[in-house]
Amino acid sequence: MEPIAGAVLSVLFLLSAERRSAVLARGTYNCDAPLASSLPRASFSSSSELSGSHGPGFANLNRRDGAGGWTPLVSNKYQWLQIDLGERMEVTAVATQGGYGSSDWVSSYLLMFSDGGRNWKQYQREESIWSFPGNTNSDSVVHYRLQPPFEARFLRFLPLAWNPKGRIGMRIEVYGCAYRSEMVNFDGKSSLLYIFNQKPTSPTKDVISLKFKAGQNDGILFHRGGQNGKCITLELVKGKLTLLLNSGSTNLPSPGAHKALSLGSLLDDQHWHSLLIEVHGSHIRFTVDRHTHHFQATGESSFLDLDNEVSFGGIPGHRKSMAFPHRNFDGCFENLYYNGVDIIDLSKKQKPQILIMGNVSFSCLHPHTVPVTFMSPRSYLALGGTFGEDKASVAFQFRTWNRSGLLLATQFLVLVLHDGKVKLSLSQPGHAARDATAGAGLNDGQWHSVSLTAKGNHLSVMVDGEAASVAGSLRGQIDSGNTYYLGDGTPVSWWVGRANETHTYWGGSLPDAQKCACGLEGNCLDSQYHCNCDADRNEWTSDTVVLSHKEHLPVTQVVMTDTGRPHSEAAFTLGPLLCQGDNSFWNSASFNTETSYLHFPTFQGELSADMSFFFKTTASSGVFLENLGITDFIRLELHAPAEVTFSFDVGNGPCVVTVRSPTPLNDSRWHYVKAERNIKEASLHVDRLPGETRPAPPDGHVRLQLNSQLFVGGTATRQRGFLGCIRALRLNGLALDLEERATMTPGVEPGCRGHCSSYGHLCRNGGKCTEKHRGMACDCTLSAYDGPFCEDEISAYFGIGSSVIYNFQEHYNHTSSKNSSSLVALFREDLTLTGEMTTLSFRTTGTPSLLLCVSSFSEEYLSVILAPNGSLQIRYKLDRHHEPDVFNFGFQNLADGQLHQVKINREAAVVSVEVNQSERRQVILSSGTEFNAVKSLMLGMILGPLGADAATLRAGARGFTGCLSAVRFGPVAPLKAALSPGRPGPATVRGPVAAAPGCAQSAEPRAPAREATWRPAGGAGRSGPRDGGEPSVNADRRDAAVIGGVIAVVIFIFLCVTAIAVRIYQQRWLYQKNESNSPKHSARAKSALKSELNMQSTGSESQKEYFF
């Protein structure tokens, strides 16, 4: 087709293709020499590179210079690493390795090969298995023997999966040997005729073997005839190899006859295919690539007694009169042997046995057009046009077995395959859309041509030479547009991620699935598309999505195409970027010797660099990290017990920034270091000490040029190594996985112990700090509180008549059955307590009330009650033969509806009482010093305990109505045991007891019974008319006494309102005081830990832009 001015495209492509191996298996022989190790760096190329030291030239196996391997700029499935072997070689094995000393490796990949570097074929390990297993770490080598081997000059490795905590990283080797072959090229009009010197007297077997590469889908490969039309012919028919057999009794059969064998498909893909035909009399063995067909001819006919000549590439002219007019072969043969005779070698030497007809050459030229295979329904090509031109010309061929698919889309037209026909949809501004169809049955797997020409107001569409009905004039001028989309899955929308890469997947879908949630679930509005918005319907459709794969975030751009067409609209909203959590905060490593270190790829900080980490040590000095160049370097170290230095050299001489601490930093506690260097200045911060800054020289060098590995915890000379722990190491905002590297490094252990020495104070209210592999945790088992830091008080609302009873004997049985070592023998029946700590918080307005009672098997007890006047009373009876000790703490009326805390600590006969963390009293017991045989702890309404005094019994019969929290007696937290869901234990709950968020809060509507002042029976204290508010009658009969009574009532009501207002003001003041005194420390633990997180993130956030 002659090109015309304007937007001109000429594309040859495939919509679908079946991939098969191109070579037959060979015998075992020595062909496993390394082929890539001796190649120059220029022989390696790639899709992209992360930096100059991550280029493909560093991708040799076991290579350590540069960054120690190839790493692309973006880690996705569109990257590749390519090798040019220099000439066509036989490849028998491959090997892969990750990036040296890094977290970068490939765990799965594809392998492709090519003769010319344009037309690629994918290697198939086994039937339907395309991928190769890769690496599981950065250093081990994974070999794979290729069965069968293949011949190629170019190889490509395409990563499919990689270490999720790192990037793509590869070092490779290719094994094989030199490959020598003889080739012949046929141009579709030429052939070779091989004539035997003498006809064999008694042939037993004919064997023909060769490789072929076809440029057209039809053509004769070879033909041998005999008497009476008897012949055997091998022909490529519509991409399939057909072996035609004629026994001589009839004319030469057609390709569809029953004596025709067919193998293969799409063999005209311009790749090498192997062929082997073995004839044993009437038995024929027919093999294409690795697929074999056996055939037994009928009757006694033998196909060995044919003429003493065989033709290749076509049928000789003097024989064509007997044959149907099929075309000659267009393509190449390689290593053509007939019964062991090298036919190509005879042809090159112009031996008399060979007759050359037509233009035959002895090399295989690479095709001018290269087919493109779309591997998935979402694959496409985007080709640039010329925006604003009023002319366009597009021509291509396609083949597919799919009945439907998108072929071409531009700004003004869409060309699709619909029900096996080509359908054209034309859209022009201001005019109604028009459709036209052409062709039929085009999904037959054969090549079909499409040409489209538009110029001015004329449009012509041809399909296999047939004009579509739309041919004629356009309604006005066209605009060719600036992009042409070709392929089955042109997306109508996509988004751009952090590395400027495009993504066509949306929320609810996995990356690279290229589907929205409806596509994965199979419920999209149009089954041909995998997103509702891609269906391009006439009504509004939507895909509501959540993008959560952080490697691709933030979203920097959202693209909606084809909105320039008439009546086409699109809209989208993009929500904020939400970030939470930091898995790298506890990632740490312990350095046990001064010569131990971790190594990572070269630090990339030419113009700007920032580093941050935590360290903990008892050593007086040591290097945290170091990276060297030829003369440049960068280093962070503990120079002295109270001194951290940041030093570097960019060619201006060493620059040192120092921060000194007033106290030693080698105190086995965590300390934070943050260093930054850019073209203007360098700065260093340690903990919250004042930072130090050094300006850069105004006219000096600015580029930091490093080429060695990055050493963490040591130096290249293995001197002045760091002894201790380093964690949360970040370089230029990226976290380094210290633990993963430490698992494979001698002298370094993953993780770090001793977090409780720095963070144990965060565990509140009796919680115990426990070491974890990654950080610490607070064990709240022996605390009356819960939550991450034992700060969440366990509270309960008690309704009228409710109670919680904790049986210490059942506690002993329960903990003993679990083999627990935590005070399992504390409350045995024969145990004697010489002291205990009792704590509780409460809020109520009811008196008298029983707050807590502890009984024993020996009629001893402890009771904490509110007397009728609201004062706190504590009653100890530690000897059954004596009266109880009664202590009335008249601090104030504690039944005021406000939160109060009580702490009682007994040591022998000395009892210390603290109320609301401020008022303290101390008393001496006279009834005894030991609490014997503790039995149970009771909260709320109780009967008993046995031998209790009258006041305790009255308070127990009244019980408790209100909120209780943080109740603890020794190591026992009865409310935790009673309210923990599904936890069997010694606590029994009776009546309306419900968990509450905290007694410090106001009365909750969920409470089973709201606190209210207890009133005597009979309605005392009730206000309002008894009859439910019926109005008075006969008002004119009222006398002065009645009027005076009314006035008195009004005055009384006014005084009551005034008193209530004053009371409310007092209660609000008391509430605010309690709130400020008791719970104000509850957020300290979280804020203390967050302060370190914020300290770490403050610097890093200043280095990056975050999109919201």
Side-chain angles (χ1 to χ4, degrees):
M1 181 186 70
E2 292 293 327
I4 63 171
V8 181
L9 299 176
S10 181
V11 182
L12 175 68
F13 68 100
L14 296 168
L15 289 183
S16 179
E18 180 182 359
R19 296 289 187 180
R20 300 187 181 277
S21 176
V23 248
L24 290 172
R26 286 171 170 75
T28 58
Y29 58 99
N30 186 16
C31 186
D32 55 3
L35 303 179
S37 57
S38 60
L39 295 174
R41 291 179 58 176
S43 298
F44 295 80
S45 58
S46 64
S47 54
S48 64
E49 57 189 51
L50 182 62
S51 68
S53 58
H54 290 85
F58 298 102
N60 285 108
L61 204 68
N62 296 318
R63 191 161 183 171
R64 297 188 177 185
D65 56 341
W70 167 71
T71 295
L73 179 62
V74 179
S75 291
N76 58 31
K77 295 182 181 179
Y78 306 107
Q79 307 299 327
W80 46 264
L81 173 64
Q82 179 175 312
I83 308 175
D84 180 1
L85 299 177
E87 59 180 320
R88 200 155 171 248
M89 308 288 284
E90 181 171 355
V91 180
T92 59
V94 294
T96 61
Q97 194 177 25
Y100 172 67
S102 70
S103 299
D104 306 334
W105 61 81
V106 171
S107 56
S108 177
Y109 63 94
L110 298 178
L111 180 63
M112 304 191 77
F113 57 94
S114 171
D115 285 349
R118 296 180 63 198
N119 191 20
W120 294 89
K121 185 169 185 178
Q122 189 171 331
Y123 184 85
Q124 184 176 3
R125 290 173 52 203
E126 299 175 22
E127 192 69 32
S128 301
I129 299 179
W130 304 92
S131 63
F132 286 76
N135 301 87
T136 57
N137 56 53
S138 62
D139 298 322
S140 61
V141 179
V142 176
H143 292 264
Y144 192 85
R145 176 70 59 179
L146 300 174
Q147 293 293 344
F150 60 83
E151 295 79 36
R153 174 180 173 178
F154 297 90
L155 282 80
R156 268 191 185 181
F157 295 81
L158 284 73
L160 290 179
W162 47 91
N163 179 20
K165 296 182 179 179
R167 296 174 176 264
I168 291 175
M170 292 192 82
R171 289 176 286 170
I172 55 92
E173 183 57 273
V174 177
Y175 301 90
C177 58
Y179 179 72
R180 297 292 178 262
S181 65
E182 302 282 356
M183 295 185 186
V184 61
N185 183 78
F186 301 98
D187 63 358
K189 300 177 183 179
S190 54
S191 63
L192 295 177
L193 181 64
Y194 172 49
I195 304 173
F196 310 142
N197 290 330
Q198 58 182 7
K199 187 173 181 180
T201 56
S202 57
T204 61
K205 183 178 181 180
D206 265 358
V207 179
I208 300 174
S209 65
L210 60 96
K211 288 185 177 180
F212 70 92
K213 181 192 291 186
Q216 299 294 331
N217 62 353
D218 294 300
I220 299 290
L221 273 73
F222 79 86
H223 170 81
R224 184 182 179 191
Q227 300 297 322
N228 301 320
K230 188 175 184 179
C231 67
I232 178 170
T233 303
L234 180 66
E235 183 179 11
L236 189 65
V237 180
K238 294 186 176 180
K240 295 183 179 181
L241 274 181
T242 303
L243 186 62
L244 306 173
L245 304 172
N246 193 322
S247 61
S249 57
T250 61
N251 292 330
L252 192 66
S254 65
H258 66 279
K259 292 184 180 180
L261 307 180
S262 293
L263 271 182
S265 63
L266 298 180
L267 299 179
D268 56 335
D269 58 357
Q270 299 178 2
H271 288 291
W272 288 108
H273 298 279
S274 60
L275 169 67
L276 177 64
I277 297 179
E278 300 170 277
V279 181
H280 297 261
S282 60
H283 179 78
I284 298 170
R285 184 182 182 188
F286 182 22
T287 302
V288 178
D289 294 335
R290 287 178 286 173
H291 303 274
T292 300
H293 193 161
H294 295 269
F295 179 76
Q296 182 70 44
T298 58
E300 300 180 358
S301 175
S302 172
F303 289 95
L304 296 176
D305 55 348
L306 300 174
D307 293 342
N308 63 339
E309 63 182 33
V310 57
S311 62
F312 299 95
I315 300 178
H318 65 282
R319 293 282 188 178
K320 270 196 174 179
S321 60
M322 299 184 305
F324 38 84
H326 279 195
R327 62 185 299 177
N328 286 13
F329 180 77
D330 187 344
C332 301
F333 284 2
E334 179 184 58
N335 296 338
L336 170 59
Y337 288 88
Y338 180 76
N339 290 336
V341 177
D342 189 342
I343 303 298
I344 299 178
D345 183 62
L346 293 178
S347 303
K348 292 172 67 176
K349 295 177 180 178
Q350 298 183 354
K351 295 295 184 178
Q353 305 98 300
I354 300 295
L355 180 61
I356 300 177
M357 291 168 283
N359 185 18
V360 173
S361 60
F362 296 99
S363 63
C364 191
L365 301 177
H366 298 302
H368 297 291
T369 56
V370 179
V372 177
T373 302
F374 296 94
M375 303 297 294
S376 75
R378 301 293 294 169
S379 303
Y380 67 95
L381 285 176
L383 303 179
T386 305
F387 184 77
E389 292 286 345
D390 63 348
K391 59 187 73 173
S393 177
V394 180
F396 59 86
Q397 289 180 307
F398 74 91
R399 67 179 178 189
T400 183
W401 285 278
N402 298 329
R403 296 179 61 85
S404 301
L406 181 60
L407 298 175
L408 172 69
T410 72
Q411 185 169 338
F412 71 97
L413 65 84
V414 176
L415 204 63
V416 300
L417 187 66
H418 180 70
D419 198 22
K421 303 176 182 179
V422 170
K423 179 180 178 181
L424 173 68
S425 297
L426 183 64
S427 299
Q428 292 182 269
H431 302 282
R434 289 185 292 164
D435 295 335
T437 60
L442 301 179
N443 58 320
D444 56 359
Q446 301 303 311
W447 288 108
H448 299 281
S449 62
V450 177
S451 64
L452 182 147
T453 303
K455 185 175 182 180
N457 61 356
H458 182 79
L459 174 66
S460 174
V461 179
M462 304 285 290
V463 178
D464 289 339
E466 174 189 349
S469 58
V470 77
S473 19
L474 297 171
R475 295 167 184 172
Q477 297 287 322
I478 67 162
D479 186 348
S480 61
N482 57 357
T483 307
Y484 291 75
Y485 295 97
L486 295 140
D488 193 33
T490 307
V492 178
S493 58
W494 64 85
W495 56 279
V496 181
R498 71 161 72 168
N500 203 31
E501 77 281 12
T502 60
H503 300 283
T504 55
Y505 77 92
W506 296 96
S509 174
L510 300 175
D512 297 312
Q514 298 182 325
K515 297 180 180 179
C516 295
C518 71
L520 288 178
E521 298 170 0
N523 57 5
C524 292
L525 296 176
D526 190 330
S527 60
Q528 296 185 47
Y529 298 92
H530 302 301
C531 290
N532 290 327
C533 291
D534 282 352
D536 198 24
R537 298 169 69 93
N538 291 328
E539 66 271 7
W540 280 99
T541 58
S542 66
D543 290 293
T544 302
V545 302
V546 177
L547 300 172
S548 59
H549 295 276
K550 63 181 182 181
E551 295 82 3
H552 300 157
L553 298 178
V555 177
T556 61
Q557 186 181 11
V558 178
V559 179
M560 302 286 180
T561 64
D562 81 339
T563 56
R565 296 188 293 114
H567 315 295
S568 179
E569 296 180 274
F572 71 90
T573 58
L574 180 64
L577 176 66
L578 304 177
C579 303
Q580 58 183 356
D582 186 358
N583 292 329
S584 66
F585 184 73
W586 295 110
N587 190 295
S588 58
S590 302
F591 299 85
N592 302 323
T593 66
E594 289 188 358
T595 59
S596 61
Y597 60 85
L598 299 178
H599 55 83
F600 291 88
T602 307
F603 179 45
Q604 304 299 318
E606 293 185 352
L607 297 178
S608 65
D610 64 271
M611 299 155 283
S612 65
F613 58 90
F614 290 88
F615 77 92
K616 182 176 69 170
T617 186
T618 57
S620 60
S621 63
V623 175
F624 298 126
L625 57 89
E626 178 186 83
N627 207 153
L628 304 179
I630 298 176
T631 57
D632 295 1
F633 72 89
I634 189 168
R635 184 183 300 116
L636 266 168
E637 66 178 308
L638 180 66
H639 192 260
E643 185 176 300
V644 175
T645 61
F646 173 37
S647 57
F648 59 91
D649 188 351
V650 295
N652 306 315
C655 177
V656 181
V657 186
T658 303
V659 170
R660 295 178 175 85
S661 171
T663 58
L665 300 172
N666 59 339
D667 56 357
S668 192
R669 299 179 67 85
W670 287 110
H671 298 280
Y672 179 69
V673 177
K674 169 70 176 178
E676 182 182 354
R677 178 258 162 193
N678 54 46
I679 61 176
K680 292 185 177 180
E681 63 183 16
S683 62
L684 176 65
H685 296 269
V686 178
D687 292 335
R688 298 188 180 276
L689 299 172
E692 291 290 334
T693 302
R694 293 286 184 274
D699 299 320
H701 299 283
V702 296
R703 290 187 178 273
L704 178 65
Q705 299 180 352
L706 307 174
N707 56 18
S708 73
Q709 299 291 307
L710 169 67
F711 291 85
V712 176
T715 65
T717 60
R718 297 197 173 188
Q719 297 178 357
R720 298 182 296 134
F722 174 74
L723 286 172
C725 295
I726 295 177
R727 70 173 172 89
L729 175 59
R730 287 180 173 270
L731 303 181
N732 288 341
L734 298 177
L736 270 63
D737 194 343
L738 302 176
E739 294 181 353
E740 183 271 335
R741 186 58 52 84
T743 57
M744 60 184 73
T745 306
V748 186
E749 296 180 358
C752 187
R753 303 187 64 83
H755 295 296
C756 286
S757 62
S758 297
Y759 302 113
H761 65 282
L762 300 179
C763 299
R764 309 284 186 175
N765 302 307
K768 180 182 178 182
C769 180
T770 59
E771 293 285 344
K772 298 180 65 178
H773 174 65
R774 304 191 72 180
M776 46 77 68
C778 295
D779 183 1
C780 305
T781 304
L782 303 181
S783 172
Y785 290 74
D786 213 337
F789 302 102
C790 306
E791 288 184 317
D792 300 339
E793 67 176 35
I794 299 178
S795 308
Y797 280 96
F798 284 71
I800 298 175
S802 59
S803 65
V804 170
I805 300 176
Y806 189 96
N807 191 304
F808 290 111
Q809 188 64 29
E810 293 183 11
H811 165 88
Y812 166 70
N813 294 335
H814 178 65
T815 53
S816 296
S817 65
K818 296 170 59 177
N819 295 321
S820 173
S821 61
S822 59
L823 303 176
V824 295
L826 181 59
F827 296 110
R828 298 182 60 176
E829 188 171 344
D830 57 350
L831 181 70
T832 297
L833 296 180
T834 58
E836 67 279 332
M837 172 71 75
T838 306
T839 62
L840 61 91
S841 299
F842 68 92
R843 182 161 56 84
T844 187
T845 56
T847 60
S849 293
L850 178 70
L851 301 179
L852 175 144
C853 182
V854 182
S855 65
S856 76
F857 290 97
S858 58
E859 299 186 13
E860 299 176 0
Y861 66 89
L862 160 67
S863 66
V864 182
I865 66 175
L866 291 182
N869 64 354
S871 62
L872 178 68
Q873 290 187 357
I874 298 176
R875 297 168 179 261
Y876 263 108
K877 183 177 182 181
L878 299 185
D879 190 334
R880 60 187 299 182
H881 303 293
H882 289 78
E883 293 297 317
D885 291 301
V886 180
F887 304 101
N888 195 337
F889 298 89
F891 299 122
Q892 64 183 69
N893 177 14
L894 300 183
D896 57 357
Q898 304 303 314
L899 179 67
H900 300 284
Q901 298 97 24
V902 177
K903 180 186 293 185
I904 305 170
N905 184 27
R906 181 182 73 87
E907 296 180 2
V910 180
V911 178
S912 300
V913 180
E914 179 182 291
V915 177
N916 295 336
Q917 301 178 357
S918 57
E919 301 177 84
R920 298 175 178 84
R921 299 284 176 84
Q922 189 175 89
V923 295
I924 307 298
L925 299 179
S926 60
S927 61
T929 60
E930 298 177 343
F931 201 163
N932 300 295
V934 178
K935 178 183 178 182
S936 60
L937 182 150
M938 296 161 282
L939 306 172
M941 178 178 286
I942 61 171
L943 297 176
L946 187 64
D949 62 277
T952 299
L953 293 176
R954 283 196 300 271
R958 170 68 177 86
F960 176 82
T961 303
C963 183
L964 278 175
S965 67
V967 180
R968 179 182 174 189
F969 181 79
V972 170
L975 288 182
K976 179 183 289 187
L979 299 178
S980 297
R983 178 184 295 178
T988 302
V989 179
R990 297 173 181 170
V993 177
C999 291
Q1001 302 181 19
S1002 59
E1004 295 289 337
R1006 295 181 299 165
R1010 295 178 60 87
E1011 300 100 13
T1013 303
W1014 178 77
R1015 293 183 175 85
R1022 180 179 176 182
S1023 62
R1026 291 187 193 178
D1027 55 7
E1030 290 294 327
S1032 301
V1033 295
N1034 298 326
D1036 54 328
R1037 299 179 182 178
R1038 293 174 181 170
D1039 53 18
V1042 174
I1043 296 174
V1046 171
I1047 295 174
V1049 170
V1050 171
I1051 295 174
F1052 175 76
I1053 292 174
F1054 173 78
L1055 293 176
C1056 289
V1057 170
T1058 303
I1060 291 173
V1062 172
R1063 183 63 171 175
I1064 290 175
Y1065 175 80
Q1066 291 176 342
Q1067 288 185 356
R1068 289 186 62 185
W1069 180 83
L1070 288 172
Y1071 179 74
Q1072 294 171 356
K1073 179 182 179 182
N1074 287 328
E1075 285 286 283
S1076 62
N1077 288 336
S1078 61
K1080 68 180 180 180
H1081 67 280
S1082 63
R1084 290 176 185 170
K1086 295 179 182 178
S1087 61
L1089 190 59
K1090 285 180 179 178
S1091 66
E1092 292 200 357
L1093 286 167
N1094 294 335
M1095 185 166 55
Q1096 184 184 25
S1097 63
T1098 300
S1100 62
E1101 286 178 359
S1102 66
Q1103 309 302 316
K1104 290 180 171 288
E1105 291 186 44
Y1106 287 83
F1107 297 87
F1108 294 91

